[in-house]
Amino acid sequence: MRIARPGRSREAAARAQLAGEASAEAAYQAEHAPDETGTTPKILPGADLTAAAFFDCDNTMMQGASVFHFARGLAARKFFTTGDLMRFAVRQVKFRIGGEDMNDASDAREEALSFVAGRSVAQIVSLGEEIYDELMADKIYPGTLELARRHLEAGQRVWLVTATPVELAQIIGRRLGLTGAMGTVAATEDGVYTGRLVGELLHGKAKAAAVRALAAREGLDLRRCTAYSDSVNDMPMLSVVGTAVAVNPDGQLRDIARRRHWQIHDYRSGRKAARIGVPSVLGAGAIGGMVAAGFAVRRKMR
């Protein structure tokens, strides 16, 4: 059993906070940016300005890991070899069967997004748009998307919160008609990725930090907010809001949800989605796959 040193724990907490704040700021700026005509978004009549919903992406909103589907698209475009993708696929199978494994996340934080190093943000965004249409659109769980739309219909804003790169997360969020998305932020210089992260991957405590930071920016009451996830690794995010919901949960999260009397939805079997109201309280990915993709493309680029 590995015992964390106090100094390392403080450093990890600082990285998580930095990652969360950077992701929240990116989401806020994207939401409030003027459109092509220079018009900034307006508040719609009937909007519920203090309540919102936060959805994990991988295995919650989307079947499998979004970055794996992105890697498949990159492989088809000869960004790396079929052998690299097969090794990546093995990790994806483990992810689908056993859930996320965060044990090596801290050691891998600087490697996880190295596959974009030296490439322009514009290129990655363009590829993300193409690959979403090719490989991701049909991987969305209709039941989970329906839950998100119920929040939107109630006048609440909805964000994805995922470890996948923020640019890809925002594409997914936009295509689903959500308010926006928070994801892992990679550092850039002059519109080109440096291959380093701002803080760390957006997972665990970093997701909770992102939700708190965005809530402060947007004036949300976290007691009236809802979070959805499939993984016990998202307990920090699930615990920071008033209502937590387990969607396609792993075994540990299912046990916790039952003990705490949280709602549980499982759309993996194809069963008809339960119709429920929007939960509201007035009073409370895939990391190994990202690393594999990073290593694969980095080798190809050398």
Side-chain angles (χ1 to χ4, degrees):
M1 179 178 177
R2 195 183 307 175
I3 300 176
R5 297 177 183 176
R8 289 185 178 180
S9 296
R10 287 192 294 270
E11 181 184 350
R15 287 197 306 267
Q17 185 66 29
L18 178 59
E21 291 175 353
S23 185
E25 182 63 20
Y28 180 88
Q29 294 299 333
E31 180 192 358
H32 296 277
D35 60 20
E36 297 81 359
T37 66
T39 303
T40 55
K42 296 181 179 180
I43 298 175
L44 298 176
D48 187 342
L49 299 180
T50 63
F54 301 94
F55 284 78
D56 172 54
C57 184
D58 298 348
N59 284 339
T60 301
M61 182 66 73
M62 178 182 293
Q63 180 181 352
S66 52
V67 76
F68 169 72
H69 303 311
F70 187 51
R72 286 177 58 203
L74 292 178
R77 291 160 174 80
K78 310 301 181 184
F79 270 58
F80 47 90
T81 69
T82 302
D84 291 326
L85 185 61
M86 289 302 295
R87 284 186 287 276
F88 192 7
V90 170
R91 296 200 182 208
Q92 165 70 356
V93 170
K94 291 180 179 179
F95 172 76
R96 290 288 305 282
I97 295 174
E100 298 170 88
D101 181 358
M102 305 305 302
N103 291 333
D104 298 323
S106 60
D107 296 333
R109 65 183 183 276
E110 294 300 342
E111 302 291 352
L113 295 183
S114 61
F115 66 93
V116 298
R119 301 187 183 277
S120 71
V121 174
Q123 179 190 24
I124 295 301
V125 169
S126 177
L127 289 170
E129 297 280 4
E130 294 176 9
I131 294 170
Y132 177 85
D133 289 332
E134 294 172 7
L135 300 172
M136 299 184 196
D138 63 349
K139 300 296 189 300
I140 302 299
Y141 285 109
T144 311
L145 183 56
E146 173 65 16
L147 294 176
R149 286 174 174 165
R150 288 181 179 276
H151 285 281
L152 294 169
E153 290 168 0
Q156 299 178 9
R157 286 164 289 178
V158 177
W159 286 275
L160 288 180
V161 190
T162 173
T164 208
V166 66
E167 291 81 9
L168 180 58
Q170 289 177 349
I171 289 169
I172 298 169
R174 185 173 63 254
R175 292 303 189 91
L176 297 180
L178 309 183
T179 306
M182 292 186 282
T184 298
V185 178
T188 62
E189 291 181 4
D190 299 322
V192 175
Y193 293 105
T194 66
R196 296 180 66 83
L197 304 180
V198 178
E200 63 171 30
L201 295 166
L202 197 73
H203 68 82
K205 293 180 180 179
K207 282 190 177 183
V211 169
R212 286 194 299 267
L214 188 64
R217 203 80 158 86
E218 298 278 7
L220 301 173
D221 180 354
L222 285 173
R223 294 170 299 179
R224 299 193 62 237
C225 292
T226 310
Y228 298 79
S229 179
D230 71 295
S231 174
V232 70
N233 293 309
D234 281 339
M235 278 301 297
M237 178 178 74
L238 294 170
S239 300
V240 82
V241 297
T243 302
V245 181
V247 178
N248 307 328
D250 60 28
Q252 288 179 280
L253 182 59
R254 184 180 292 274
D255 289 344
I256 292 171
R258 285 172 173 166
R259 288 199 303 270
R260 299 189 182 187
H261 305 290
W262 292 351
Q263 295 179 41
I264 300 174
H265 300 279
D266 198 327
Y267 302 120
R268 290 169 294 192
S269 65
R271 68 188 65 169
K272 186 176 180 180
R275 299 184 61 83
I276 63 168
V278 176
S280 178
V281 175
L282 298 178
I287 303 307
M290 295 179 74
V291 174
F295 285 153
V297 180
R298 186 182 59 178
R299 287 198 299 267
K300 187 68 174 177
M301 291 173 63
R302 284 178 175 172

